[in-house]
Protein backbone atom coordinates (compact mmCIF):
# COMPACT_ATOMS: atom_id res chain seq x y z
CA UNK A 1 0.00 0.00 0.00
CA UNK A 2 1.39 3.37 -0.95
CA UNK A 3 1.54 6.07 1.71
CA UNK A 4 -0.47 8.24 -0.68
CA UNK A 5 -3.48 5.97 -0.21
CA UNK A 6 -3.78 7.33 3.29
CA UNK A 7 -4.72 10.71 1.87
CA UNK A 8 -7.33 9.32 -0.44
CA UNK A 9 -9.30 8.36 2.68
CA UNK A 10 -11.51 5.99 0.69
CA UNK A 11 -11.86 2.30 1.12
CA UNK A 12 -11.15 0.44 -2.11
CA UNK A 13 -14.39 -0.66 -3.71
CA UNK A 14 -14.67 -3.92 -5.61
CA UNK A 15 -14.66 -2.86 -9.23
CA UNK A 16 -18.19 -3.19 -10.56
CA UNK A 17 -17.24 -2.61 -14.21
CA UNK A 18 -15.84 -6.12 -14.52
CA UNK A 19 -19.14 -7.50 -13.26
CA UNK A 20 -20.94 -5.39 -15.85
CA UNK A 21 -18.77 -6.81 -18.63
CA UNK A 22 -19.24 -10.40 -17.51
CA UNK A 23 -23.02 -10.03 -17.21
CA UNK A 24 -23.23 -8.44 -20.65
CA UNK A 25 -21.11 -11.15 -22.26
CA UNK A 26 -23.39 -13.86 -20.95
CA UNK A 27 -26.69 -12.19 -21.78
CA UNK A 28 -25.56 -11.08 -25.25
CA UNK A 29 -24.15 -14.49 -26.13
CA UNK A 30 -27.60 -15.93 -25.51
CA UNK A 31 -29.45 -13.14 -27.30
CA UNK A 32 -27.29 -13.36 -30.41
CA UNK A 33 -28.12 -17.04 -30.78
CA UNK A 34 -31.78 -16.11 -30.34
CA UNK A 35 -31.63 -13.70 -33.25
CA UNK A 36 -30.92 -16.37 -35.83
CA UNK A 37 -33.07 -19.06 -34.28
CA UNK A 38 -36.68 -18.99 -33.19
CA UNK A 39 -37.28 -18.87 -29.45
CA UNK A 40 -37.82 -22.55 -28.74
CA UNK A 41 -38.51 -22.38 -25.02
CA UNK A 42 -42.30 -21.97 -25.16
CA UNK A 43 -42.56 -24.85 -27.64
CA UNK A 44 -40.15 -27.05 -25.70
CA UNK A 45 -42.13 -26.57 -22.54
CA UNK A 46 -45.46 -27.28 -24.27
CA UNK A 47 -44.12 -30.49 -25.79
CA UNK A 48 -42.60 -31.75 -22.53
CA UNK A 49 -45.86 -31.08 -20.71
CA UNK A 50 -47.81 -32.84 -23.49
CA UNK A 51 -45.58 -35.95 -23.20
CA UNK A 52 -45.97 -36.08 -19.42
CA UNK A 53 -49.72 -35.55 -19.75
CA UNK A 54 -49.92 -38.70 -21.91
CA UNK A 55 -48.91 -40.78 -18.89
CA UNK A 56 -50.22 -38.85 -15.88
CA UNK A 57 -53.19 -36.56 -15.39
CA UNK A 58 -51.53 -33.24 -14.66
CA UNK A 59 -52.77 -29.71 -14.30
CA UNK A 60 -50.98 -27.61 -16.93
CA UNK A 61 -51.23 -24.67 -14.53
CA UNK A 62 -49.01 -26.48 -12.03
CA UNK A 63 -45.92 -26.37 -14.22
CA UNK A 64 -42.98 -24.23 -13.19
CA UNK A 65 -40.17 -23.43 -15.54
CA UNK A 66 -36.97 -21.90 -14.26
CA UNK A 67 -33.80 -21.07 -16.08
CA UNK A 68 -30.33 -19.95 -15.16
CA UNK A 69 -28.24 -18.81 -18.09
CA UNK A 70 -24.54 -19.20 -17.52
CA UNK A 71 -21.39 -18.62 -19.55
CA UNK A 72 -20.42 -22.27 -19.95
CA UNK A 73 -23.66 -23.93 -18.99
CA UNK A 74 -27.32 -23.08 -18.56
CA UNK A 75 -29.81 -24.94 -16.42
CA UNK A 76 -33.42 -25.35 -17.42
CA UNK A 77 -35.62 -26.85 -14.73
CA UNK A 78 -39.20 -27.85 -15.50
CA UNK A 79 -41.12 -28.67 -12.36
CA UNK A 80 -44.39 -30.50 -12.87
CA UNK A 81 -46.66 -31.12 -9.94
CA UNK A 82 -47.89 -34.73 -10.09
CA UNK A 83 -51.31 -35.59 -8.70
CA UNK A 84 -51.32 -37.61 -5.46
CA UNK A 85 -51.94 -41.40 -5.43
CA UNK A 86 -55.60 -40.76 -4.49
CA UNK A 87 -56.50 -39.34 -7.87
CA UNK A 88 -54.40 -41.86 -9.76
CA UNK A 89 -56.02 -44.96 -8.31
CA UNK A 90 -58.06 -46.85 -10.89
CA UNK A 91 -61.84 -46.77 -10.43
CA UNK A 92 -62.41 -50.46 -9.68
CA UNK A 93 -59.75 -50.44 -6.97
CA UNK A 94 -61.48 -47.57 -5.23
CA UNK A 95 -64.83 -49.35 -5.40
CA UNK A 96 -63.66 -52.70 -3.94
CA UNK B 1 -57.18 -3.89 -5.05
CA UNK B 2 -53.81 -2.90 -6.40
CA UNK B 3 -52.72 0.57 -7.43
CA UNK B 4 -51.26 0.79 -10.93
CA UNK B 5 -48.32 3.21 -11.18
CA UNK B 6 -46.66 4.16 -14.45
CA UNK B 7 -43.07 5.39 -14.44
CA UNK B 8 -42.78 7.58 -17.51
CA UNK B 9 -40.94 10.59 -18.96
CA UNK B 10 -41.35 10.95 -22.70
CA UNK B 11 -37.61 11.40 -23.11
CA UNK B 12 -35.21 8.47 -23.09
CA UNK B 13 -32.23 8.03 -20.81
CA UNK B 14 -33.52 10.10 -17.90
CA UNK B 15 -33.73 7.20 -15.44
CA UNK B 16 -37.12 5.52 -15.87
CA UNK B 17 -35.81 2.00 -15.50
CA UNK B 18 -33.42 2.91 -12.67
CA UNK B 19 -36.33 4.62 -10.90
CA UNK B 20 -38.77 1.76 -11.58
CA UNK B 21 -36.31 -0.77 -10.15
CA UNK B 22 -35.49 1.41 -7.14
CA UNK B 23 -39.11 2.30 -6.42
CA UNK B 24 -40.44 -1.23 -6.81
CA UNK B 25 -37.69 -2.59 -4.57
CA UNK B 26 -38.21 0.22 -2.06
CA UNK B 27 -41.96 -0.47 -1.83
CA UNK B 28 -41.32 -4.20 -1.47
CA UNK B 29 -38.76 -3.54 1.29
CA UNK B 30 -41.59 -1.80 3.13
CA UNK B 31 -43.55 -5.05 3.05
CA UNK B 32 -45.79 -4.23 0.09
CA UNK B 33 -46.49 -6.85 -2.55
CA UNK B 34 -45.09 -5.40 -5.74
CA UNK B 35 -44.77 -6.46 -9.35
CA UNK B 36 -42.80 -4.39 -11.85
CA UNK B 37 -43.53 -4.77 -15.57
CA UNK B 38 -41.14 -3.87 -18.40
CA UNK B 39 -43.14 -2.36 -21.30
CA UNK B 40 -40.13 -1.78 -23.55
CA UNK B 41 -40.79 -4.62 -25.97
CA UNK B 42 -37.79 -5.16 -28.25
CA UNK B 43 -35.38 -3.26 -26.00
CA UNK B 44 -35.87 -4.75 -22.57
CA UNK B 45 -33.49 -3.64 -19.83
CA UNK B 46 -35.35 -3.83 -16.55
CA UNK B 47 -34.14 -7.44 -16.21
CA UNK B 48 -30.51 -6.26 -16.32
CA UNK B 49 -31.05 -3.43 -13.85
CA UNK B 50 -32.84 -5.82 -11.49
CA UNK B 51 -30.10 -8.43 -11.98
CA UNK B 52 -32.44 -11.21 -13.14
CA UNK B 53 -31.40 -11.34 -16.82
CA UNK B 54 -30.14 -14.90 -16.53
CA UNK B 55 -33.47 -16.16 -15.25
CA UNK B 56 -35.82 -14.88 -17.97
CA UNK B 57 -37.73 -17.75 -19.57
CA UNK B 58 -41.03 -16.22 -20.65
CA UNK B 59 -42.12 -12.63 -21.08
CA UNK B 60 -45.21 -10.44 -21.28
CA UNK B 61 -45.73 -11.24 -24.99
CA UNK B 62 -45.67 -15.00 -24.31
CA UNK B 63 -48.41 -14.43 -21.72
CA UNK B 64 -50.53 -12.25 -24.03
CA UNK B 65 -50.25 -14.80 -26.83
CA UNK B 66 -51.15 -17.70 -24.55
CA UNK B 67 -47.76 -19.42 -24.80
CA UNK B 68 -47.13 -19.22 -21.07
CA UNK B 69 -49.08 -18.56 -17.93
CA UNK B 70 -48.59 -15.33 -16.04
CA UNK B 71 -47.16 -17.22 -13.05
CA UNK B 72 -44.52 -18.85 -15.21
CA UNK B 73 -43.41 -15.54 -16.69
CA UNK B 74 -43.11 -13.76 -13.33
CA UNK B 75 -39.60 -13.80 -11.90
CA UNK B 76 -39.53 -13.70 -8.13
CA UNK B 77 -36.79 -11.54 -6.68
CA UNK B 78 -34.32 -13.49 -4.54
CA UNK B 79 -33.48 -10.52 -2.31
CA UNK B 80 -36.95 -9.17 -1.43
CA UNK B 81 -39.57 -11.89 -1.40
CA UNK B 82 -42.62 -9.68 -1.98
CA UNK B 83 -41.19 -8.43 -5.30
CA UNK B 84 -41.57 -9.93 -8.75
CA UNK B 85 -40.62 -8.86 -12.26
CA UNK B 86 -42.47 -9.37 -15.54
CA UNK B 87 -39.94 -8.95 -18.35
CA UNK B 88 -40.58 -7.55 -21.82
CA UNK B 89 -39.92 -9.59 -24.92
CA UNK B 90 -36.60 -8.98 -26.61
CA UNK B 91 -37.39 -10.51 -29.98
CA UNK B 92 -40.85 -9.30 -30.91
CA UNK B 93 -42.02 -5.86 -31.90
CA UNK B 94 -44.26 -3.48 -30.00
CA UNK B 95 -47.36 -4.53 -31.94
CA UNK B 96 -47.35 -7.79 -29.99
CA UNK B 97 -48.78 -5.83 -27.03
CA UNK B 98 -52.53 -5.35 -27.06
CA UNK B 99 -54.75 -3.28 -24.83
CA UNK B 100 -56.92 -6.32 -24.00
CA UNK B 101 -53.88 -8.49 -23.25
CA UNK B 102 -52.26 -5.92 -20.98
CA UNK B 103 -55.61 -5.28 -19.30
CA UNK B 104 -56.05 -8.97 -18.49
CA UNK B 105 -52.52 -9.23 -17.08
CA UNK B 106 -53.03 -6.18 -14.87
CA UNK B 107 -56.39 -7.48 -13.69
CA UNK B 108 -54.86 -10.81 -12.71
CA UNK B 109 -51.85 -9.20 -11.03
CA UNK B 110 -54.13 -6.86 -9.10
CA UNK B 111 -55.61 -9.86 -7.24
CA UNK B 112 -52.50 -10.54 -5.21
CA UNK B 113 -50.37 -7.41 -5.33
CA UNK B 114 -50.52 -4.01 -3.64
CA UNK B 115 -48.69 -2.15 -6.38
CA UNK B 116 -48.19 -2.77 -10.09
CA UNK B 117 -45.37 -0.62 -11.49
CA UNK B 118 -45.27 -0.12 -15.25
CA UNK B 119 -41.82 0.82 -16.56
CA UNK B 120 -42.63 2.77 -19.73
CA UNK B 121 -40.45 2.91 -22.83
CA UNK B 122 -39.38 6.33 -24.12
CA UNK B 123 -41.53 8.11 -26.69
CA UNK B 124 -45.28 8.43 -26.97
CA UNK B 125 -46.00 5.44 -29.15
CA UNK B 126 -47.76 2.16 -28.53
CA UNK B 127 -45.56 0.76 -25.74
CA UNK B 128 -45.58 4.04 -23.82
CA UNK B 129 -49.32 4.53 -24.34
CA UNK B 130 -50.10 1.03 -23.08
CA UNK B 131 -47.80 1.48 -20.08
CA UNK B 132 -49.77 4.52 -18.94
CA UNK B 133 -53.24 3.48 -20.10
CA UNK B 134 -54.27 1.59 -16.94
CA UNK B 135 -52.45 3.89 -14.49
CA UNK B 136 -53.98 5.24 -11.30
CA UNK B 137 -50.82 7.19 -10.52
CA UNK B 138 -47.89 8.41 -12.60
CA UNK B 139 -44.30 9.07 -11.60
CA UNK B 140 -42.90 11.50 -14.14
CA UNK B 141 -39.11 11.22 -14.22
CA UNK B 142 -37.44 14.49 -15.24
CA UNK B 143 -33.82 15.63 -15.56
CA UNK B 144 -32.95 19.29 -14.90
CA UNK B 145 -32.48 19.87 -18.60
CA UNK B 146 -34.63 21.65 -21.21
CA UNK B 147 -35.55 18.74 -23.48
CA UNK B 148 -36.45 16.50 -20.55
CA UNK B 149 -38.73 19.12 -18.98
CA UNK B 150 -40.45 19.74 -22.29
CA UNK B 151 -41.01 16.02 -22.89
CA UNK B 152 -42.35 15.59 -19.35
CA UNK B 153 -44.88 18.31 -20.05
CA UNK B 154 -45.87 16.50 -23.23
CA UNK B 155 -46.33 13.18 -21.42
CA UNK B 156 -48.44 14.91 -18.74
CA UNK B 157 -50.75 16.01 -21.55
CA UNK B 158 -50.93 12.43 -22.82
CA UNK B 159 -51.76 11.16 -19.31
CA UNK B 160 -54.60 13.66 -19.10
CA UNK B 161 -56.09 12.70 -22.45
CA UNK B 162 -55.18 9.12 -23.36
CA UNK B 163 -55.31 7.21 -20.08
CA UNK B 164 -58.22 4.93 -19.23
CA UNK B 165 -59.13 7.24 -16.34
CA UNK B 166 -59.37 10.12 -18.81
CA UNK B 167 -61.41 8.07 -21.29
CA UNK B 168 -63.79 6.85 -18.57
CA UNK B 169 -64.07 10.43 -17.21
CA UNK B 170 -62.99 9.24 -13.77
CA UNK B 171 -60.70 11.10 -11.33
CA UNK B 172 -57.53 11.99 -13.21
CA UNK B 173 -54.30 10.02 -12.88
CA UNK B 174 -52.45 11.24 -9.78
CA UNK B 175 -49.20 12.82 -10.92
CA UNK B 176 -45.85 12.87 -9.10
CA UNK B 177 -42.66 14.62 -10.15
CA UNK B 178 -39.38 12.77 -9.63
CA UNK B 179 -36.33 14.86 -10.53
CA UNK B 180 -33.27 12.70 -11.20
CA UNK B 181 -29.57 13.43 -11.85
CA UNK B 182 -29.84 16.66 -9.89
CA UNK B 183 -26.44 18.26 -9.25
CA UNK B 184 -26.73 20.94 -6.53
CA UNK B 185 -23.19 22.19 -7.16
CA UNK B 186 -23.98 22.97 -10.79
CA UNK B 187 -27.32 24.50 -9.81
CA UNK B 188 -25.48 26.80 -7.42
CA UNK B 189 -23.13 27.85 -10.19
CA UNK B 190 -26.13 28.63 -12.37
CA UNK B 191 -25.27 25.87 -14.85
CA UNK B 192 -28.33 23.74 -14.24
CA UNK B 193 -32.08 24.36 -13.95
CA UNK B 194 -33.15 24.91 -10.34
CA UNK B 195 -35.60 22.55 -8.69
CA UNK B 196 -38.00 25.46 -8.12
CA UNK B 197 -37.88 26.33 -11.83
CA UNK B 198 -38.81 22.78 -12.82
CA UNK B 199 -41.60 22.73 -10.24
CA UNK B 200 -42.92 26.06 -11.43
CA UNK B 201 -42.97 24.96 -15.08
CA UNK B 202 -44.47 21.49 -14.63
CA UNK B 203 -46.67 22.41 -11.66
CA UNK B 204 -47.23 18.91 -10.29
CA UNK B 205 -46.52 17.69 -6.73
CA UNK B 206 -42.89 16.82 -6.04
CA UNK B 207 -42.22 13.25 -4.94
CA UNK B 208 -38.46 13.36 -4.72
CA UNK B 209 -35.14 14.65 -5.98
CA UNK B 210 -32.46 12.08 -6.73
CA UNK B 211 -28.98 13.61 -6.74
CA UNK B 212 -26.45 12.78 -9.45
CA UNK B 213 -24.44 9.96 -7.94
CA UNK B 214 -21.73 7.50 -8.93
CA UNK B 215 -23.58 4.74 -7.13
CA UNK B 216 -26.25 4.59 -9.87
CA UNK B 217 -23.74 3.29 -12.42
CA UNK B 218 -22.31 0.89 -9.87
CA UNK B 219 -25.84 -0.39 -9.17
CA UNK B 220 -26.52 -1.01 -12.85
CA UNK B 221 -23.12 -2.68 -13.30
CA UNK B 222 -23.97 -5.22 -10.64
CA UNK B 223 -27.72 -5.53 -11.23
CA UNK B 224 -28.64 -4.33 -7.74
CA UNK B 225 -31.38 -1.66 -7.48
CA UNK B 226 -29.67 1.45 -6.09
CA UNK B 227 -32.15 1.66 -3.21
CA UNK B 228 -30.40 -1.40 -1.73
CA UNK B 229 -27.19 0.60 -1.38
CA UNK B 230 -27.74 2.17 2.04
CA UNK B 231 -24.63 4.35 1.78
CA UNK B 232 -25.59 5.87 -1.53
CA UNK B 233 -27.20 9.32 -1.48
CA UNK B 234 -29.28 8.31 -4.51
CA UNK B 235 -30.42 5.17 -2.69
CA UNK B 236 -31.39 7.21 0.37
CA UNK B 237 -33.23 9.73 -1.80
CA UNK B 238 -35.25 6.92 -3.41
CA UNK B 239 -36.02 5.52 0.04
CA UNK B 240 -37.29 8.95 1.12
CA UNK B 241 -39.42 9.19 -2.03
CA UNK B 242 -40.98 5.80 -1.28
CA UNK B 243 -41.82 7.04 2.24
CA UNK B 244 -43.48 10.15 0.82
CA UNK B 245 -45.38 8.03 -1.68
CA UNK B 246 -46.75 6.02 1.27
CA UNK B 247 -47.97 9.26 2.84
CA UNK B 248 -45.14 9.91 5.30
CA UNK B 249 -43.76 13.37 5.87
CA UNK B 250 -40.11 13.20 4.86
CA UNK B 251 -37.95 16.30 4.40
CA UNK B 252 -36.15 16.66 1.07
CA UNK B 253 -32.41 16.08 1.38
CA UNK B 254 -29.36 16.49 -0.87
CA UNK B 255 -30.64 19.75 -2.38
CA UNK B 256 -27.54 21.74 -1.38
CA UNK B 257 -23.97 21.14 -2.54
CA UNK B 258 -22.14 18.78 -0.18
CA UNK B 259 -19.67 20.55 2.03
CA UNK B 260 -16.34 19.14 0.98
CA UNK B 261 -13.52 18.59 3.44
CA UNK B 262 -10.02 19.73 2.64
CA UNK B 263 -8.97 16.23 1.59
CA UNK B 264 -11.75 15.63 -0.87
CA UNK B 265 -11.22 19.11 -2.28
CA UNK B 266 -7.59 18.26 -2.94
CA UNK B 267 -7.98 14.71 -4.08
CA UNK B 268 -11.32 14.80 -5.85
CA UNK B 269 -14.10 12.30 -5.36
CA UNK B 270 -17.80 12.89 -5.90
CA UNK B 271 -21.00 11.99 -4.13
CA UNK B 272 -21.31 8.35 -3.12
Amino acid sequence: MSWLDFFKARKPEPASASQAKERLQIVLAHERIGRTREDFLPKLQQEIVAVVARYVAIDPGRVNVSLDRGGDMSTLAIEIEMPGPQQNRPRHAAAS
Amino acid sequence: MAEVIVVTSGKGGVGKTTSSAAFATGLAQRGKKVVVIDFDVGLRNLDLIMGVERRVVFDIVNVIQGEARLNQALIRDKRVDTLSILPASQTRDKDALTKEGVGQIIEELAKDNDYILCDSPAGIEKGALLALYFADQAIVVTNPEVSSVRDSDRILGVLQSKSKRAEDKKDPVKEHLLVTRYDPARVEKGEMLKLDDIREILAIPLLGVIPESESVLRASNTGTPVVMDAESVAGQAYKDAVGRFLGEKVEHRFLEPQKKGIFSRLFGGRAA
Side-chain angles (χ1 to χ4, degrees):
Chain A
M1 187 200 253
S2 150
W3 61 273
L4 269 173
D5 287 351
F6 174 77
F7 290 102
K8 285 191 180 161
R10 298 183 100 199
K11 55 174 188 247
E13 268 163 18
S16 61
S18 58
Q19 281 185 61
K21 185 183 176 193
E22 197 188 309
R23 292 174 62 220
L24 278 170
Q25 280 171 331
I26 292 174
V27 78
L28 292 185
H30 285 276
E31 282 180 8
R32 284 175 183 151
I33 298 169
R35 250 174 250 165
T36 49
R37 226 193 298 151
E38 199 204 348
D39 182 16
F40 62 89
L41 272 174
K43 233 179 140 198
L44 175 69
Q45 188 227 0
Q46 279 166 7
E47 285 176 19
I48 291 177
V49 172
V51 169
V52 177
R54 236 186 279 154
Y55 296 91
V56 219
I58 54 165
D59 175 359
R62 303 268 170 132
V63 180
N64 259 318
V65 185
S66 63
L67 175 72
D68 189 8
R69 294 180 211 269
D72 306 323
M73 189 193 78
S74 301
T75 323
L76 174 70
I78 301 181
E79 202 181 308
I80 302 173
E81 200 175 299
M82 298 284 191
Q86 294 284 307
Q87 287 135 290
N88 256 354
R89 199 183 296 163
R91 274 265 167 78
H92 59 87
S96 64
Chain B
M1 194 59 192
E3 283 280 297
V4 181
I5 310 162
V6 61
V7 179
T8 186
S9 69
K11 192 177 181 306
V14 297
K16 283 182 296 297
T17 301
T18 300
S19 297
S20 298
F23 222 79
T25 308
L27 282 168
Q29 282 176 328
R30 301 288 300 265
K32 306 291 177 192
K33 293 199 76 182
V34 184
V35 56
V36 54
I37 309 176
D38 190 349
F39 274 83
D40 205 344
V41 172
L43 290 170
R44 78 164 168 232
N45 273 318
L46 181 69
D47 57 332
L48 266 177
I49 301 303
M50 292 294 303
V52 299
E53 74 280 358
R54 293 165 61 153
R55 295 167 57 207
V56 176
V57 192
F58 299 116
D59 54 61
I60 186 167
V61 174
N62 291 134
V63 178
I64 288 177
Q65 306 204 327
E67 295 161 344
R69 280 158 198 268
L70 183 54
N71 259 327
Q72 295 165 348
L74 285 177
I75 302 173
R76 275 164 241 287
D77 192 90
K78 285 183 175 166
R79 299 156 296 203
V80 192
D81 63 1
T82 53
L83 176 61
S84 42
I85 299 114
L86 181 58
S89 168
Q90 184 69 328
T91 48
R92 323 256 183 126
D93 59 86
K94 292 203 190 319
D95 293 328
L97 290 180
T98 61
K99 198 176 270 183
E100 297 71 34
V102 173
Q104 278 173 14
I105 286 176
I106 287 184
E107 199 178 306
E108 206 174 326
L109 289 173
K111 286 180 201 155
D112 39 27
N113 283 285
D114 300 314
Y115 294 102
I116 301 168
L117 261 84
C118 303
D119 180 19
S120 173
I124 46 170
E125 275 150 60
K126 196 168 186 189
L129 292 180
L130 278 175
L132 66 79
Y133 185 72
F134 295 96
D136 301 307
Q137 307 200 39
I139 297 176
V140 178
V141 183
T142 308
N143 287 172
E145 185 266 325
V146 286
S147 54
S148 174
V149 177
R150 177 206 233 171
D151 290 358
S152 292
D153 191 65
R154 178 88 171 87
I155 208 77
L156 285 167
V158 175
L159 277 163
Q160 288 154 12
S161 60
K162 301 247 170 90
S163 61
K164 187 166 192 303
R165 280 182 170 269
E167 280 182 4
D168 295 352
K169 304 221 167 6
K170 288 209 264 183
D171 290 341
V173 176
K174 194 174 173 197
E175 299 154 342
H176 306 271
L177 174 63
L178 185 69
V179 177
T180 57
R181 308 201 68 167
Y182 193 70
D183 187 337
R186 300 195 72 183
V187 171
E188 195 177 57
K189 283 190 222 152
E191 295 173 359
M192 184 179 265
L193 275 171
K194 277 198 285 265
L195 176 63
D196 289 343
D197 297 340
I198 303 169
R199 294 183 71 175
E200 187 191 318
I201 294 165
L202 293 177
I204 60 170
L206 179 68
L207 182 65
V209 180
I210 313 299
E212 175 79 57
S213 159
E214 288 180 352
S215 58
V216 175
L217 179 58
R218 190 165 61 232
S220 98
N221 280 345
T222 58
T224 323
V226 70
V227 75
M228 295 187 128
D229 183 349
E231 282 173 30
S232 144
V233 285
Q236 293 171 44
Y238 274 116
K239 218 167 222 176
D240 288 357
V242 168
R244 274 178 221 117
F245 186 85
L246 295 174
E248 293 159 15
K249 233 181 135 37
V250 188
E251 286 290 315
H252 288 279
R253 298 189 276 171
F254 320 116
L255 300 182
E256 303 299 326
Q258 281 192 316
K259 298 274 180 289
K260 280 190 172 178
I262 180 82
F263 281 115
S264 53
R265 265 175 209 270
L266 284 174
F267 296 99
R270 296 200 308 208

